[in-house]
Amino acid sequence: MSAPAIAAPRKGLADKAILLHVGVLALLLAAQFVLPEYHALSLTRVMLLATFAVGYNLLFGYTGLLSLGHALFFAAGLYGAALPAYHFGWTAPPAFLAGIAAGFLVALTVGAVALRTTGVAFMIVTLMFAQAGYLATLYFGNVTRGDEGLVLTDAVRRFELLGLTVDLADPGLRYNLALALLAAAIAITLVVVRRPIGRVLVAIRENEARTLMLGYDSYRAKLVAVVLSGTISAAAGAAYALLFAYAGSSFASIHYSIYPLLWTLLGGAATVLGPVLGTLIMFYLIDLASGFTTAHLVVVGLVLVALVLFFPKGILGTVRERWLPWLP
Amino acid sequence: MSFGPHLLLAFLEGMVQASVLTLTALGLSLVFGVMRVVNVAHGEFFMLGAVSAWWIASLAAGHPAVGFVAALIGAPLIVGAVALAAERLVLRRLDYNPEATIVATIGLLFILQQAALTFFGADARPVQAPFSYRIVFPWFGWSGYKLFVIAAAGAMLIAVWLVLTRTRIGLVMRATQFDRETAQAFGIRVDRVYAGVFAAGAMLAAVAAVLIVPISQAHYLMGLDPLLLSFIVVIIGGLGSLKGTVIAALVIGLSDGMISVFFSPTLAKILGTLLVALVLVVRPGGLVGGQSR
């Protein structure tokens, strides 16, 4: 299901791509002034989850490594931020950094071990680690409060920055912080994809043996991809915990490993904006479905099966194939 | 209870775990060995087996053994039919592409889980054991049914072994596993072998589930633990190696059961995963032969 190799970036076309991404972000920035409150809140969630998916796509779409355990990284960020905030009263900025650091360390460790396997074994091993991580959040229930979860107080979410009082409970601020995080993730992906490391990652996806023969250290490149992808996912998790003041075991469950895969597949793997589009569509599809049925997992399952059967390139992957070959 | 008898109890409980896990993991390994695909919905076939067992047993009247025997025959058939349908409708159309198959079986996992929640409910429900004989040790009493589980799983294992090595069906399966294209050239209908193997793998999980359901109840989320443990087993045993799977399942099941008795089942699974990490660092191809694919 690998996407076609990306056309080499040429100067004029590359500018068109940057314009498109800036345009999409500007559209999201403008949306907050016209959207009703409910949808603005939904979009805040979507943007955080889309950040998660963008991080996932870096590994799955561009490097061709299918991870079934990204909930572990999301949860590492979530708990890395929420635990010190809850137990030690850390304010949001240091807690956010702690979440990112936790995600970095977990991704480095898991990546170093899991990358010793290839292909199907890699998928199984990532799933196993994530499931062990989920069980760990339940096992250490006296610290994490397991399924019930940690609810952060407003005190840790209100802090002074450069003489200004920042309150993360403010919906407008939350929206723009989520947007900033998403913009950062998209920018990182764009930079990585256009730099030599990105070309090496795509080369590994297309033919790892040949890449290795050409003299690239494919293990190292893949480890960089895992760490980068895991850290972006953790940043999304940390921001989710702080902005919505909650961290629970359910975010570490297998469902949160599968969602980013689903979002990425739907929007189009190996396209920068695909995961964002996929997250948006899936979020509202489930929102819509929960209006008349509680069985939203069936929707997830059916969409997954339908995607691999009939639409393996996703929306933007198909758009790129048919109309816009320059789409990064 | 002093340490010695406690250890004996832990060993016996571990053996029960190990025998059920061996059957489940063998199903997963068989499917991977012949078809080269990983079935992420394997744990849900296990769950479906347990839930169908409860359904069949609740229909049957009279002695609990009647319901149990009916479940032991009926539940694997139901699960096998579901697996066969999934294979024909989805997996075959994907041409058994490993990645696409994994994504599709994840979809199947969600569908089966939700179906069980909708039609079976969120409660855990018991199935009565076929007999209630108790073995009395000097230190503690132990359910005779658990001994039956160990024996039944052992018999099932021998039966699978005989089918694989002594019958024409087994020969055809091994030929397909060894070289799909040559097998096809010799007139073996490979796609039928695939369908059969996929259903058989799911049925092994279902048999394991029916055996365990009088001990631990049927629940719609019960599939995730056997899936995790089966994955641990096939990675340690070497992907696709049946001998490795059986040995690893015994070791993992036994230690899982014993750690569960002494400490907690959750800790046992965390430790098992860490063990896998250790094995991968030392021998990426798994402990018992087999190459990593």
Side-chain angles (χ1 to χ4, degrees), chain A residues 116 120 123 139 255 297-298, chain B residues 38 102 110 114 264 280-281:
Chain A
R116 292 182 61 84
V120 170
M123 308 170 200
Y139 185 71
H255 300 111
L297 280 183
V298 163
Chain B
V38 173
I102 281 203
F110 281 135
Q114 187 71 61
S264 102
L280 286 177
V281 170

Side-chain angles (χ1 to χ4, degrees), chain A residues 155-170:
Chain A
V156 299
R157 299 167 72 216
R158 199 178 298 122
F159 56 93
E160 304 271 324
L161 194 70
L162 307 170
L164 289 167
T165 305
V166 181
D167 187 358
L168 293 183
D170 173 44

Side-chain angles (χ1 to χ4, degrees), chain B residues 42-121:
Chain B
H42 195 66
E44 301 317 306
F45 287 140
F46 182 90
M47 178 275 290
L48 203 60
V51 168
S52 329
W54 173 83
W55 180 65
I56 293 172
S58 71
L59 290 181
H63 195 267
V66 177
F68 180 80
V69 171
L72 198 54
I73 297 165
L77 288 178
I78 294 176
V79 172
V82 171
L84 199 63
E87 203 275 346
R88 293 285 88 171
L89 291 176
V90 181
L91 264 62
R92 187 162 65 137
R93 296 186 185 200
L94 296 173
D95 205 21
Y96 310 104
N97 173 308
E99 283 193 6
T101 304
I102 281 203
V103 176
T105 51
I106 292 169
L108 198 61
L109 180 155
F110 281 135
I111 295 170
L112 290 178
Q113 217 175 66
Q114 187 71 61
L117 177 61
T118 307
F119 297 111
F120 175 76

Side-chain angles (χ1 to χ4, degrees), chain B residues 8-41:
Chain B
L8 177 66
L9 175 67
F11 175 78
L12 289 171
E13 294 289 339
M15 277 310 289
V16 174
Q17 280 286 334
S19 45
V20 172
L21 178 59
T22 308
L23 287 184
T24 315
L26 193 64
L28 190 73
S29 190
L30 200 64
V31 169
F32 182 82
V34 177
M35 300 168 68
R36 292 277 145 199
V37 297
V38 173
N39 175 16
V40 183

Side-chain angles (χ1 to χ4, degrees), chain A residues 156-245:
Chain A
V156 299
R157 299 167 72 216
R158 199 178 298 122
F159 56 93
E160 304 271 324
L161 194 70
L162 307 170
L164 289 167
T165 305
V166 181
D167 187 358
L168 293 183
D170 173 44
L173 182 67
R174 277 204 303 218
Y175 185 94
N176 287 308
L177 283 177
L179 177 60
L181 193 68
L182 177 62
I186 288 179
I188 290 173
T189 309
L190 272 176
V191 168
V192 167
V193 169
R194 287 149 163 259
R195 281 189 170 269
I197 174 74
R199 327 289 309 164
V200 174
L201 294 182
V202 171
I204 289 174
R205 182 188 76 197
E206 295 302 322
N207 191 336
E208 182 167 357
R210 187 182 287 179
T211 315
L212 203 60
M213 194 199 72
L214 287 172
Y216 292 102
D217 185 348
S218 69
Y219 179 84
R220 231 189 83 191
K222 287 194 287 185
L223 189 58
V224 168
V226 170
V227 169
L228 209 53
S229 168
T231 310
I232 294 175
S233 306
Y240 203 98
L242 293 169
L243 293 184
F244 293 104

